[in-house]
Coordinates of all heavy atoms in Angstrom, one line a residue:
M740 N 119.3 92.9 98.2 CA 118.5 94.0 98.3 C 118.9 95.2 97.4 O 118.0 95.9 96.8 CB 118.4 94.5 99.8 CG 117.8 93.4 100.8 SD 116.1 92.9 100.3 CE 116.4 91.4 99.4
Q741 N 120.2 95.4 97.3 CA 120.7 96.4 96.4 C 120.3 96.1 95.0 O 119.9 97.0 94.2 CB 122.2 96.6 96.6 CG 122.6 97.1 98.0 CD 124.0 97.0 98.2 OE1 124.8 96.6 97.4 NE2 124.5 97.5 99.4
Q742 N 120.5 94.9 94.6 CA 120.2 94.5 93.2 C 118.7 94.6 92.9 O 118.3 95.1 91.8 CB 120.6 93.0 92.9 CG 122.1 92.8 92.9 CD 122.5 91.3 92.9 OE1 121.6 90.5 92.7 NE2 123.8 91.1 93.0
L743 N 117.8 94.3 93.9 CA 116.4 94.4 93.7 C 116.0 95.9 93.5 O 115.2 96.2 92.6 CB 115.7 93.8 94.9 CG 114.2 94.0 95.0 CD1 113.5 93.3 93.7 CD2 113.6 93.4 96.3
E744 N 116.5 96.8 94.3 CA 116.3 98.2 94.2 C 116.8 98.7 92.9 O 116.1 99.5 92.2 CB 116.9 99.0 95.3 CG 116.2 98.7 96.7 CD 116.8 99.5 97.8 OE1 118.1 99.4 97.9 OE2 116.1 100.2 98.6
G745 N 117.9 98.2 92.4 CA 118.5 98.6 91.1 C 117.6 98.2 90.0 O 117.4 98.9 89.0
R746 N 117.1 96.9 90.0 CA 116.2 96.4 89.0 C 114.9 97.2 88.9 O 114.4 97.5 87.8 CB 115.9 94.9 89.2 CG 117.1 94.0 89.0 CD 116.8 92.6 89.3 NE 115.8 92.0 88.4 CZ 115.2 90.8 88.6 NH1 115.6 90.1 89.6 NH2 114.3 90.4 87.7
L747 N 114.4 97.5 90.0 CA 113.1 98.3 90.0 C 113.3 99.8 89.8 O 112.3 100.4 89.4 CB 112.4 98.0 91.4 CG 112.0 96.6 91.7 CD1 111.5 96.5 93.1 CD2 110.9 96.2 90.7
G748 N 114.5 100.3 90.1 CA 114.7 101.7 90.0 C 114.0 102.4 91.1 O 113.5 103.6 90.9
L749 N 113.9 101.8 92.3 CA 113.1 102.3 93.4 C 113.9 102.2 94.7 O 114.6 101.2 94.8 CB 111.8 101.6 93.5 CG 110.8 101.7 92.3 CD1 109.6 100.7 92.6 CD2 110.2 103.1 92.2
G750 N 113.7 103.1 95.6 CA 114.2 103.0 96.9 C 113.2 102.3 97.8 O 112.2 102.9 98.1
L751 N 113.5 101.1 98.3 CA 112.6 100.4 99.1 C 112.8 100.6 100.6 O 111.9 100.4 101.4 CB 112.7 98.9 98.8 CG 112.4 98.5 97.3 CD1 112.6 97.0 97.1 CD2 111.0 98.8 96.9
F752 N 114.1 101.0 100.9 CA 114.4 101.1 102.3 C 115.0 102.5 102.6 O 115.7 103.0 101.7 CB 115.4 100.0 102.8 CG 114.9 98.6 102.6 CD1 115.3 97.8 101.5 CD2 114.1 98.1 103.6 CE1 114.8 96.5 101.4 CE2 113.6 96.7 103.5 CZ 114.0 96.0 102.4
V753 N 114.8 103.0 103.8 CA 115.6 104.1 104.4 C 116.6 103.4 105.4 O 116.2 102.8 106.3 CB 114.7 105.1 105.1 CG1 115.6 106.1 105.8 CG2 113.7 105.7 104.2
R754 N 117.9 103.6 105.1 CA 118.9 102.8 105.8 C 119.4 103.7 107.0 O 119.9 104.8 106.8 CB 120.0 102.4 104.9 CG 119.6 101.3 104.0 CD 120.7 101.1 102.9 NE 120.3 99.9 102.1 CZ 119.4 99.8 101.2 NH1 118.7 100.9 100.9 NH2 119.2 98.7 100.5
E755 N 119.1 103.2 108.2 CA 119.7 103.8 109.4 C 120.8 103.0 109.9 O 121.1 102.0 109.4 CB 118.5 104.0 110.4 CG 117.4 104.9 109.9 CD 116.2 104.9 110.9 OE1 116.2 104.2 111.9 OE2 115.3 105.8 110.6
K756 N 121.3 103.4 111.1 CA 122.5 102.7 111.6 C 122.3 101.2 111.9 O 123.1 100.4 111.4 CB 123.0 103.4 112.9 CG 124.3 102.9 113.4 CD 124.8 103.7 114.6 CE 126.2 103.2 115.0 NZ 126.7 103.9 116.2
K757 N 121.2 100.9 112.6 CA 121.0 99.5 112.9 C 119.6 99.0 112.4 O 119.1 98.0 112.9 CB 121.1 99.2 114.4 CG 122.5 99.4 115.0 CD 122.5 99.1 116.4 CE 123.9 99.2 117.0 NZ 124.0 98.9 118.4
R758 N 119.0 99.8 111.5 CA 117.6 99.5 111.1 C 117.4 99.9 109.7 O 117.9 100.9 109.2 CB 116.7 100.2 112.1 CG 115.2 99.9 111.8 CD 114.4 100.8 112.7 NE 112.9 100.7 112.4 CZ 112.0 101.4 112.9 NH1 112.3 102.4 113.7 NH2 110.7 101.3 112.6
L759 N 116.6 99.1 109.0 CA 116.1 99.4 107.6 C 114.6 99.6 107.7 O 113.9 98.7 108.0 CB 116.5 98.3 106.6 CG 117.8 98.3 106.0 CD1 118.9 97.9 107.1 CD2 117.9 97.3 104.8
R760 N 114.2 100.9 107.4 CA 112.8 101.2 107.4 C 112.3 101.2 106.0 O 113.0 101.7 105.1 CB 112.5 102.5 108.1 CG 112.8 102.5 109.6 CD 112.3 103.8 110.3 NE 113.0 104.9 109.8 CZ 112.5 105.8 109.0 NH1 111.3 105.7 108.5 NH2 113.3 106.9 108.6
L761 N 111.1 100.7 105.8 CA 110.5 100.7 104.5 C 110.1 102.1 104.1 O 109.5 102.9 104.9 CB 109.3 99.8 104.4 CG 109.5 98.3 104.4 CD1 108.2 97.5 104.6 CD2 110.2 97.8 103.1
T762 N 110.3 102.5 102.8 CA 109.8 103.7 102.3 C 108.3 103.5 102.0 O 107.8 102.4 102.1 CB 110.5 104.1 101.0 OG1 110.3 103.0 100.0 CG2 112.0 104.2 101.3
A763 N 107.6 104.5 101.6 CA 106.2 104.4 101.2 C 106.0 103.4 100.1 O 105.1 102.5 100.0 CB 105.6 105.7 100.9
V764 N 106.9 103.5 99.1 CA 106.9 102.6 98.0 C 107.3 101.2 98.5 O 106.7 100.2 98.0 CB 107.9 103.0 96.9 CG1 108.1 102.0 95.8 CG2 107.5 104.3 96.3
G765 N 108.2 101.1 99.4 CA 108.6 99.8 100.0 C 107.4 99.1 100.7 O 107.2 97.9 100.5
R766 N 106.6 99.9 101.4 CA 105.4 99.3 102.0 C 104.4 98.7 101.0 O 103.8 97.7 101.2 CB 104.8 100.3 103.0 CG 105.6 100.6 104.2 CD 104.8 101.4 105.2 NE 104.4 102.8 104.7 CZ 105.2 103.8 104.9 NH1 106.4 103.7 105.5 NH2 104.8 105.0 104.4
T767 N 104.2 99.5 99.9 CA 103.3 99.0 98.9 C 103.9 97.7 98.2 O 103.2 96.8 98.0 CB 103.1 100.1 97.8 OG1 102.6 101.2 98.4 CG2 102.2 99.6 96.7
F768 N 105.2 97.8 98.0 CA 105.8 96.6 97.4 C 105.8 95.4 98.3 O 105.6 94.2 97.8 CB 107.3 96.9 97.1 CG 108.0 95.9 96.2 CD1 107.7 95.8 94.8 CD2 108.8 95.0 96.8 CE1 108.3 94.9 94.0 CE2 109.5 94.0 96.0 CZ 109.2 94.0 94.6
L769 N 105.8 95.6 99.6 CA 105.7 94.5 100.5 C 104.4 93.8 100.4 O 104.3 92.5 100.4 CB 106.0 94.9 102.0 CG 105.8 93.8 103.0 CD1 106.9 92.7 102.8 CD2 106.0 94.5 104.4
K770 N 103.3 94.6 100.3 CA 102.0 94.0 100.1 C 101.9 93.2 98.8 O 101.4 92.0 98.8 CB 100.9 95.1 100.1 CG 100.8 95.8 101.4 CD 99.7 96.9 101.3 CE 99.6 97.7 102.6 NZ 98.6 98.8 102.4
E771 N 102.5 93.7 97.8 CA 102.5 93.0 96.5 C 103.3 91.7 96.5 O 103.0 90.7 95.9 CB 103.0 93.9 95.4 CG 102.2 95.2 95.1 CD 100.8 94.8 94.5 OE1 100.7 93.7 94.0 OE2 99.9 95.7 94.5
A772 N 104.4 91.8 97.3 CA 105.3 90.6 97.4 C 104.6 89.5 98.1 O 104.7 88.3 97.7 CB 106.6 91.0 98.1

């Protein structure tokens, strides 16, 4: 996941203690994926 965000130059997740929430860009990327 870190490598993917690095390749894209985008933050896909907001990292919380026990949860990873998608950013707005991440939600768009999920549809494309």
Side-chain angles (χ1 to χ4, degrees):
M740 294 304 95
Q741 293 169 2
Q742 291 172 7
L743 176 59
E744 289 178 312
R746 289 176 64 184
L747 294 172
L749 299 169
L751 300 176
F752 298 100
V753 175
R754 288 167 172 80
E755 299 176 350
K756 187 174 182 181
K757 294 185 178 180
R758 181 184 175 191
L759 274 72
R760 291 189 295 106
L761 287 171
T762 62
V764 171
R766 288 192 294 272
T767 300
F768 190 77
L769 178 61
K770 294 179 182 178
E771 298 291 344

